[in-house]
Amino acid sequence: MEKRRTTLDREPLSSEYIKDRQDFSSVLKGFKASQIPLWKSTWFYGSVGLAAVAAVLSITNLLHNTKKHDLKSTPLQVATYNVDQDSPPASDENNAVLERSQETDPSVHAIKESDPPDVPEKEVSRTVAPESKAEDHVDQLVVAEDRPDEPVHRVSEPVNPEPVYPKKTMATLVGVVDGPVFVGSLCASDGIECNDGSTVLSYTIQYNNGMGEDAIETIRGRQISSYMCDKIRRYNVNQEILITRIIVETPDGSRKMVPSIRIVPTY
Amino acid sequence: MAVNPVYHQSNTKLREELDWIRDAKKDPERFGPLYSKYHEQIFRYVYQRMDDEDLAFDVTSQVFIKAMSNIRKYEYRGVPFSSWLYRIAKSELYQSFRDRKARRTVNVESTHLFEMIEEFDEDDNAENKVKLMRILSTIREDDLQLIELRYFEKRSYREMGEILDITENNAKVRTFRALDRLKKQFLK
């Protein structure tokens, strides 16, 4: 079966004839027609698509960051009420209680943390959950500015769940908050001290008791016992010891938790 | 018949051509000199393989449009610009056959047939010519391409290799094998 046609001695075309049929302008026209406009090309769509995705991501990120920033800088709603009132409401009901209280009791008013511009956010008091007193869930006693004779409890609902402590009260061990401490000085000291005259009521210490794992003990008072000193001397030299949940009583009688201490006993 | 007289061009001409190519890369409208230089060669290559003259001109134009579109990709690495155009022409030609716009045709001259029959050590008579033409219309396309390039268009193995994108030696070997298969069919 014949696949293709065979021609014998076809009349050849002259070079002049072929030259006459040359038409570069029509080729150029065809070339221009065959060119895909930039906006129709895959490259264009790819680039634009990529740019759009990048823009959306950037905007989302920016909005997210702005939101985060706004949340951080949102003033805390603080309800105040009389000291002789019952225990403060649950924190998630604070707003409702605040509104009700403002309507019914003129002595109750809201204080915004941001009101005093010089008070940094970290100074916002928060509920300390100490041991077993009825008023333990009460944050601290404060005095309303307009009625200094009426002490009020302040209950706050911090947006940031991270504990915030009064800046001024710091507990130290041999004058150290974070760093190395000579074992001798540690054992000879009177224990944990506060820089503002507050008394340490209890603390939790995490150290190696020689039993192969870290012991976590809650100690009443501020002393480092001789038993503990012995363990520290034997098993904790050059190892980190954490002292956390340090509950102190301030000179005005309120209780609060102060920042933890991290020491490394050395010789 | 010397189909490709400008294949072996002087260094001056080659440099001039490379300048044209560089210009055409910057601005396709400056492809004109290259078009004028190679239009006839490419047309003859196309027309050799089809019977419709107008369609051959159309396919040739299409070859140059493709060349202008892809001129940026061309880099001179020893292979003449003409061989690059021939490769485009081959592609466009077979595309037109696939689109059924044109029918594959084998255009042969009596002298070519005579030379081949001589190579087969057979008598140059009308019967053998008809027989050879019939075989040429049925052999494999690859074999026909090689025979056309070598025996009908008188191209060197080097140029054949460049057009078919194979080595010169490979072109030689393949051509001998194609001729051998043709001979076997002819002597059957």
Side-chain angles (χ1 to χ4, degrees), chain B residues 83-136:
Chain B
S83 298
W84 186 68
L85 288 175
Y86 279 123
R87 285 185 204 172
I88 298 173
K90 186 181 153 215
S91 162
E92 286 300 308
L93 195 61
Y94 284 92
Q95 187 59 49
S96 72
F97 294 147
R98 276 194 295 274
D99 296 345
R100 295 180 185 280
K101 285 179 188 167
R103 189 182 174 195
R104 179 71 163 103
T105 308
V106 187
N107 288 299
V108 286
E109 290 174 26
S110 298
T111 50
H112 298 149
L113 288 179
F114 171 73
E115 283 167 13
M116 291 190 86
I117 292 167
E118 282 275 292
E119 193 144 339
F120 298 156
D121 292 329
E122 292 291 319
D123 289 337
D124 176 29
N125 53 39
E127 191 187 343
N128 278 345
K129 277 184 182 174
V130 172
K131 189 179 179 184
L132 186 56
M133 280 178 69
R134 188 167 41 80
I135 293 168
L136 284 172

Side-chain angles (χ1 to χ4, degrees), chain A residues 60-99:
Chain A
T60 311
N61 199 25
L62 196 72
L63 287 175
H64 181 70
N65 285 344
T66 313
K67 217 173 193 177
K68 229 173 172 181
H69 181 74
D70 287 350
L71 278 174
K72 273 189 179 173
S73 58
T74 301
L76 298 177
Q77 292 290 324
V78 179
T80 61
Y81 45 91
N82 287 329
V83 133
D84 52 354
Q85 275 186 308
D86 289 338
S87 58
S91 59
D92 56 351
E93 295 171 7
N94 275 357
N95 288 340
V97 170
L98 173 63
E99 284 169 16

Side-chain angles (χ1 to χ4, degrees), chain B residues 5-152:
Chain B
V6 288
Y7 180 73
H8 301 287
Q9 52 189 344
S10 66
N11 281 339
T12 319
K13 282 202 168 183
L14 187 65
R15 270 199 298 276
E16 186 187 44
E17 185 178 283
L18 290 175
D19 287 343
W20 290 342
I21 293 166
R22 196 189 56 229
D23 292 346
K25 279 183 180 182
K26 287 177 191 165
D27 180 9
E29 291 193 20
R30 295 167 80 174
F31 198 89
L34 291 165
Y35 175 82
S36 302
K37 184 177 179 180
Y38 290 110
H39 178 264
E40 187 181 337
Q41 285 181 56
I42 298 301
F43 170 76
R44 287 195 187 279
Y45 173 86
V46 172
Y47 188 50
Q48 173 70 24
R49 288 153 180 83
M50 58 170 57
D51 54 356
D52 189 327
E53 184 187 308
D54 289 330
L55 196 56
F57 276 113
D58 284 351
V59 171
T60 306
S61 294
Q62 203 56 40
V63 170
F64 284 100
I65 289 169
K66 275 271 166 70
M68 287 167 79
S69 303
N70 295 293
I71 186 82
R72 284 191 179 88
K73 294 177 191 169
Y74 174 79
E75 276 180 40
Y76 180 72
R77 288 175 185 159
V79 177
F81 187 68
S82 59
S83 298
W84 186 68
L85 288 175
Y86 279 123
R87 285 185 204 172
I88 298 173
K90 186 181 153 215
S91 162
E92 286 300 308
L93 195 61
Y94 284 92
Q95 187 59 49
S96 72
F97 294 147
R98 276 194 295 274
D99 296 345
R100 295 180 185 280
K101 285 179 188 167
R103 189 182 174 195
R104 179 71 163 103
T105 308
V106 187
N107 288 299
V108 286
E109 290 174 26
S110 298
T111 50
H112 298 149
L113 288 179
F114 171 73
E115 283 167 13
M116 291 190 86
I117 292 167
E118 282 275 292
E119 193 144 339
F120 298 156
D121 292 329
E122 292 291 319
D123 289 337
D124 176 29
N125 53 39
E127 191 187 343
N128 278 345
K129 277 184 182 174
V130 172
K131 189 179 179 184
L132 186 56
M133 280 178 69
R134 188 167 41 80
I135 293 168
L136 284 172
S137 68
T138 56
I139 60 170
R140 281 165 38 179
E141 182 60 36
D142 292 351
D143 289 353
L144 180 63
Q145 270 190 59
L146 291 160
I147 287 163
E148 275 182 320
L149 289 170
R150 180 66 186 167
Y151 295 99
F152 301 165

Side-chain angles (χ1 to χ4, degrees), chain A residues 77-80 98 102 108-112 115:
Chain A
Q77 292 290 324
V78 179
T80 61
L98 173 63
Q102 282 174 325
V108 176
H109 59 280
I111 300 169
K112 283 191 174 178
D115 285 348

